[in-house]
Amino acid sequence: MRSRFSDAIDLIPPSGIRRFFDLVASSKDVISLGVGEPDFATPWVIRDEAIVSIESGQTAYTSNMGMPACREAICEYLQTRFACSYDFSEEIILTVGVSEAVDITLRSIL
């Protein structure tokens, strides 16, 4: 069966990082530190909350800084656990992963 895509697509080589992931996945006793995939399933309490959020229509993008209620909760935790006081509206930002956090941290310093 002929592909619906251009033949040129078949000529694009796989990226080096994809080859690396395939190598790691097929190797025994190798721990990949590549993309931060956990070695366990997401706990049901988190899955259930995600389902509730989807069912209630909470599917839109949030602020680039993260949801204010979550940032407030982080401030409360830091205050309770470490006696550190932060302003959630000015001093706390959430990222989708460590790469973004490292990037924004380095950009703010450099």
Side-chain angles (χ1 to χ4, degrees):
M1 176 176 193
R2 180 160 166 74
S3 171
R4 298 183 326 180
F5 300 105
S6 166
D7 292 338
I9 295 294
D10 293 331
L11 301 176
I12 299 173
S15 70
I17 194 70
R18 290 291 155 211
R19 287 197 311 270
F20 172 76
F21 291 150
D22 291 344
L23 175 65
V24 168
S26 65
S27 300
K28 186 179 167 130
D29 296 328
V30 173
I31 299 172
S32 172
L33 302 176
V35 292
E37 291 291 334
D39 60 353
F40 57 89
T42 302
W44 272 108
V45 67
I46 296 172
R47 295 187 222 181
D48 288 339
E49 285 299 318
I51 292 167
V52 168
S53 293
I54 291 168
E55 288 176 340
S56 67
Q58 296 180 23
T59 57
Y61 285 105
T62 63
S63 159
N64 285 349
M65 291 180 68
M67 296 168 62
C70 186
R71 296 192 331 259
E72 274 187 282
I74 290 169
C75 286
E76 290 172 16
Y77 171 80
L78 293 171
Q79 178 64 46
T80 302
R81 181 79 164 92
F82 302 106
C84 295
S85 181
Y86 293 97
D87 176 358
F88 82 92
S89 65
E90 297 288 328
E91 299 178 298
I92 300 292
I93 187 169
L94 301 176
T95 64
V96 296
V98 71
S99 296
E100 292 81 5
V102 169
D103 178 73
I104 199 166
T105 301
L106 290 176
R107 287 174 190 257
S108 68
I109 293 170
L110 301 174

